[in-house]
Amino acid sequence: MAHDPKREDYERLSLRYALALDTSDPRGATQAFSTFGRRFAQDRDSLPQSDADRAFHLVALATEAIDYRLPFATDEQAETLIRRGREMLEEALSLDEHCFDAERMLSASRLRSVDERYQFLAERVDEVRDVCEEERDRACEALGGERAALGALLSLRPYWRWLASMAEDALICGRNHDAIAAAERLLESDPHDLSDARFTLAYALAKLEDEEGLERLARRYETISPLRAADDAWLILARCALAHKRCDFAGARAELRRLLDAYPGCAGSLIHQTELPDGEFARLRVQPYSEDELIIALSEGVVLLQEGNDRSGRGVFGMWVMREAAQMDPAAALEVARATNGEGKGRS
């Protein structure tokens, strides 16, 4: 699942190219379309495109810089990437006033707090929906068959990403009921959950200690995401947190073991609990059941891990997860300790 800006850029231009072909000559149109992939890769500017298409291409380039290169950049590189990313997003908005992805991504740096950003997104969400649905209707009218279906999806995705950001920001600033409402609204619009809103929903339900709601969500996986079982890190960690909160430590330990079974060899991530910046375009695309996915789930899971006062600053649940994971995999604990000591020596 997950949103892929590069693929979406390709799909947008492929539809634009298909519309530009002479449909009165099907054979000629088919031959012409066979060159699309090469032209997209080697000479994109030669393809027909609107200002909205050009704007989205800039969003895709900015996403590559901000979401996928910035976390691994040096301080000097980071300054350049941030500046360039912002410039591309501002240019995208100048080309297309309805480039909601650019507007949403820019809001993260323009507003002073997550709460302010949530308010901004919530105030604009109905406008975004209306514009995207109008675009969907125009796409369906202009296209036919499978192309109409793809056009409809492409038109609605900026709205879905807007809702996903709303849900995530609401969760971060403690608006758990609002996070659930935004996630459910997204699932209603996109029942197959391209945005993985169910992950955010699982954490919001855990924050509200709604165990019945969490189990109902797990049962919904069969229809939401039939190709993936209800065993992702978000759902398991939410169950683990609830068991820990009611002092069912045996149950919490069983969930933690289940998490390590689903993500083998990843105990080090549970011990280290690295925090990552959220993806600005969308949740980062990683392999299911990979260590990268677990790291993202743990980073988003600080709302659960850091609950309660603890001298370490990790939170009561976070410290419990660290200790239990270390006991389950002593070799991973030793490796984390060595790496941490090495970092400390490097900074001294």
Side-chain angles (χ1 to χ4, degrees):
M1 303 297 281
H3 294 269
D4 183 345
K6 289 183 178 179
R7 180 176 179 82
E8 198 163 323
D9 187 29
Y10 180 93
E11 290 170 337
R12 288 177 66 103
L13 257 64
S14 70
L15 284 181
R16 184 75 59 191
Y17 192 55
L19 280 171
L21 295 175
D22 183 3
T23 55
S24 65
D25 180 11
R27 184 175 180 180
T30 300
Q31 291 176 339
F33 195 80
S34 67
T35 67
F36 172 78
R38 177 182 54 78
R39 291 178 63 184
F40 179 86
Q42 299 177 7
D43 191 14
R44 187 182 189 281
D45 289 342
S46 71
L47 294 168
Q49 52 195 295
S50 66
D51 281 345
D53 297 327
R54 295 183 181 90
F56 188 83
H57 180 60
L58 288 166
V59 167
L61 294 176
T63 299
E64 179 66 23
I66 296 170
D67 287 355
Y68 291 95
R69 293 176 59 193
L70 183 58
F72 308 102
T74 64
D75 290 343
E76 184 178 348
Q77 292 169 334
E79 186 177 341
T80 301
L81 288 170
I82 292 170
R83 183 180 66 253
R84 183 61 185 137
R86 188 177 296 123
E87 288 172 351
M88 287 188 285
L89 293 173
E90 289 171 348
E91 185 179 352
L93 264 181
S94 71
L95 288 169
D96 175 18
E97 64 176 343
H98 290 147
C99 186
F100 296 119
D101 287 309
E103 188 169 7
R104 177 177 54 84
M105 292 168 74
L106 282 168
S107 70
S109 60
R110 289 176 172 174
L111 299 175
R112 291 175 295 179
S113 68
V114 178
D115 192 73
E116 277 191 32
R117 186 171 188 243
Y118 169 75
Q119 294 283 7
F120 165 76
L121 296 172
E123 289 169 4
R124 297 284 307 279
V125 66
D126 289 338
E127 174 197 345
V128 174
R129 177 203 59 204
D130 292 345
V131 171
C132 289
E133 288 183 349
E134 288 172 6
E135 178 61 30
R136 174 201 61 192
D137 294 342
R138 285 194 294 270
C140 289
E141 185 177 344
L143 299 162
E146 293 181 1
R147 287 174 179 168
L150 176 58
L153 290 175
L154 292 174
S155 300
L156 289 174
R157 284 177 189 170
Y159 169 55
W160 295 346
R161 289 189 283 267
W162 194 279
L163 279 173
S165 290
M166 264 183 66
E168 291 159 10
D169 287 353
L171 178 67
I172 293 169
C173 59
R175 296 171 174 265
N176 299 306
H177 289 288
D178 291 338
I180 290 170
E184 290 288 8
R185 185 171 174 179
L186 177 47
L187 287 169
E188 182 180 357
S189 180
D190 176 25
H192 296 301
D193 197 18
L194 179 67
S195 308
D196 291 330
R198 64 193 184 281
F199 297 164
T200 307
L201 181 54
Y203 282 169
L205 290 167
K207 288 288 290 182
L208 292 174
E209 301 181 36
D210 186 354
E211 295 193 46
E212 291 184 4
L214 190 62
E215 293 314 307
R216 284 196 299 271
L217 174 62
R219 291 192 292 272
R220 289 166 64 188
Y221 270 52
E222 188 174 345
T223 54
I224 294 174
S225 183
L227 297 180
R228 184 165 188 183
D231 62 352
D232 55 77
W234 288 264
L235 188 62
I236 298 175
L237 194 63
R239 283 172 166 159
C240 186
L242 287 176
H244 181 271
K245 187 167 288 187
R246 64 174 182 270
C247 297
D248 176 9
F249 299 116
R253 201 170 289 114
E255 292 295 342
L256 200 60
R257 171 54 64 190
R258 187 179 176 212
L259 187 60
L260 285 174
D261 289 342
Y263 295 81
C266 294
S269 297
L270 292 172
I271 298 166
H272 199 266
Q273 297 176 23
T274 304
E275 285 189 55
L276 297 175
D278 294 331
E280 294 297 343
F281 179 74
R283 183 178 277 114
L284 300 181
R285 293 178 296 107
V286 293
Q287 282 293 112
Y289 305 109
S290 66
E291 185 170 17
D292 287 341
E293 182 175 78
L294 179 58
I295 289 171
I296 291 172
L298 288 165
S299 182
E300 294 179 8
V302 297
V303 294
L304 300 175
L305 293 163
Q306 293 184 3
E307 277 189 333
N309 294 323
D310 182 87
R311 292 179 182 177
S312 70
R314 285 179 183 250
V316 174
F317 179 53
M319 276 301 297
W320 181 88
V321 168
M322 184 196 75
R323 288 195 300 266
E324 291 296 324
Q327 289 180 13
M328 291 178 182
D329 192 339
L334 183 60
E335 186 177 340
V336 170
R338 286 173 175 166
T340 302
N341 290 335
E343 289 173 6
K345 290 176 182 177
R347 287 193 297 268
S348 61

